[in-house]
């Protein structure tokens, strides 16, 4: 197993706190009060790498702004067993992937195990952890949304433990007979959680996710979101509770502006869906638009150094904002 050690020199390299081998000092703990440590998991694939680079740039930009919310340090947890080419650009720690073949090609199954290793082997000064992903771009400073015994999470409509087709599967893994209402409709990201509460979830999450993957009925029912379900079920098993925060995240093109219903402004822009608009800026769902952008078009190649053509006038404001942030990220990285 390969791990990285953080020396004093290594720590000085970054303009902000990151994970460390040593215990934080009293002064660092004081500075970390009421703050969250930004943590993303990644592998070494170029598809994940270019998104992580833009996302880290965005974090740095907010951190250096006048109001940086409750942002603390940053760590990329790399579950590839060995260091990659971004170690000098993004503060990272290296942990082991699952044994060969266990993930059956479902890469995110490595995430629970990676986070567990990070919490066991490293320290950080902040009280809370903010679990985020490479395709999350921060729209504005994020305040502390969690409390010591109440984590904060974005609700996903498709994680619904009360749905009759899913309830029997959830109950199969409900070893403590938790009440159905205690299963939150969430995944593990975006989640803001006290580090002691996350450690509790990590006592069961990684092994539970593997058991669920190995159960054919569960694997077939939950598919690509199985690891999200595993996080919700694991949380219910250890009694971790969540406040559901709809403004935590916006997802263009379905979200059109920076506000959620009710007027609150969103904190994260998640670019998981393709964007298709015609030449007049009209959304064309299900049909490749005259103007089209999808991160999956860059699975095997890096986005161009000059950035992307902006969408036509009339396009949803949030899609315009997405492209501004992507272009800004690319152009602000000197060795893109």
């Amino acid at each position: 197993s390969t791990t990285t050690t953080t020396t004093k020199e290594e720590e000085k390299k970054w303009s902000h706190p990151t994970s460390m081998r040593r215990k934080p000092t009293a002064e660092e703990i004081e500075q970390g009060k009421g703050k969250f440590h930004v943590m993303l998991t990644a592998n070494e694939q170029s598809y994940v790498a270019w998104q992580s680079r833009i996302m880290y740039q965005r974090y740095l930009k907010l951190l250096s702004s006048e109001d940086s919310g409750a942002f603390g340090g940053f760590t990329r947890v790399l579950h590839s067993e060995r260091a990659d080419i971004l170690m000098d650009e993004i503060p990272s720690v290296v942990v082991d992937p699952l044994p060969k073949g266990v993930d059956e090609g479902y890469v995110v199954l490595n995430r629970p195990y990676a986070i567990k290793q990070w919490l066991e082997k490293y320290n950080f000064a902040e009280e809370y952890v903010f679990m985020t992903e490479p395709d999350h771009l921060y729209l504005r400073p994020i305040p502390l949304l969690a409390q010591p015994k109440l984590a904060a999470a974005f609700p996903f409509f498709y994680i619904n433990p009360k749905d009759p087709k899913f309830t029997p599967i959830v109950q199969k893994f409900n070893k403590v007979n938790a009440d159905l209402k205690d299963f939150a409709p969430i995944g593990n990201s975006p989640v803001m959680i006290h580090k002691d509460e996350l450690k509790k979830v990590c006592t069961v999450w990684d092994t539970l996710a593997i058991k669920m993957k190995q159960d054919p009925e569960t694997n077939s029912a939950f598919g690509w979101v199985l690891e999200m379900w595993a996080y919700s079920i694991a949380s219910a098993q250890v009694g971790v509770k969540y406040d559901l925060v709809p403004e935590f995240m916006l997802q263009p093109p379905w979200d059109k502006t920076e506000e959620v219903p009710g007027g609150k402004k969103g904190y994260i822009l998640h670019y998981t869906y393709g964007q298709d608009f015609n030449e007049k800026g009209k959304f064309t769902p299900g049909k490749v638009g005259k103007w089209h952008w999808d991160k999956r078009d860059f699975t095997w190649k890096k986005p161009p150094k000059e950035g992307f053509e902006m969408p036509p006038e009339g396009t949803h404001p949030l899609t315009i904002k997405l492209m501004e942030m992507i272009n800004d990220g690319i152009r602000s990285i000197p060795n893109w």
Side-chain angles (χ1 to χ4, degrees), residues 244-263:
L244 302 178
V245 184
E247 67 272 21
F248 216 153
M249 190 163 79
L250 298 164
Q251 306 187 92
W254 306 107
D255 289 307
K256 299 175 183 149
T257 71
E258 289 187 39
E259 289 181 359
V260 297

Side-chain angles (χ1 to χ4, degrees), residues 12 30 65 128 176 240 258 275 280 292:
K12 272 188 213 145
E30 192 54 43
S65 64
Y128 294 84
V176 303
V240 171
E258 289 187 39
Q275 317 285 320
K280 293 198 170 87
H292 162 87

Side-chain angles (χ1 to χ4, degrees), residues 149 195-205 238-240:
K149 294 286 180 192
K195 57 182 163 192
D196 295 341
E197 295 284 277
L198 181 57
K199 282 174 183 168
K200 273 200 257 179
V201 179
C202 284
T203 59
V204 292
W205 180 24
V238 293
V240 171

Side-chain angles (χ1 to χ4, degrees), residues 68-138:
S68 57
F71 275 102
F74 187 106
T75 302
R76 180 183 65 136
V77 178
L78 186 64
H79 50 75
S80 59
E81 203 175 359
R82 62 188 71 83
D84 72 352
I85 56 170
L86 295 182
M87 304 298 285
D88 289 330
E89 186 178 314
I90 305 175
S92 308
V93 300
V94 180
V95 296
D96 293 332
L98 289 167
K100 203 165 176 52
V102 172
D103 70 12
E104 299 175 39
Y106 179 55
V107 177
V108 287
L109 201 62
N110 286 278
R111 186 178 288 156
Y113 182 49
I115 294 172
K116 184 181 191 175
Q117 291 174 79
W118 173 59
L119 290 171
E120 284 170 353
K121 294 176 180 174
Y122 290 90
N123 297 301
F124 51 93
E126 297 82 4
E127 291 181 289
Y128 294 84
V129 176
F130 171 35
M131 293 191 278
T132 186
E133 298 192 24
D135 61 357
H136 286 179
L137 296 173
Y138 310 133

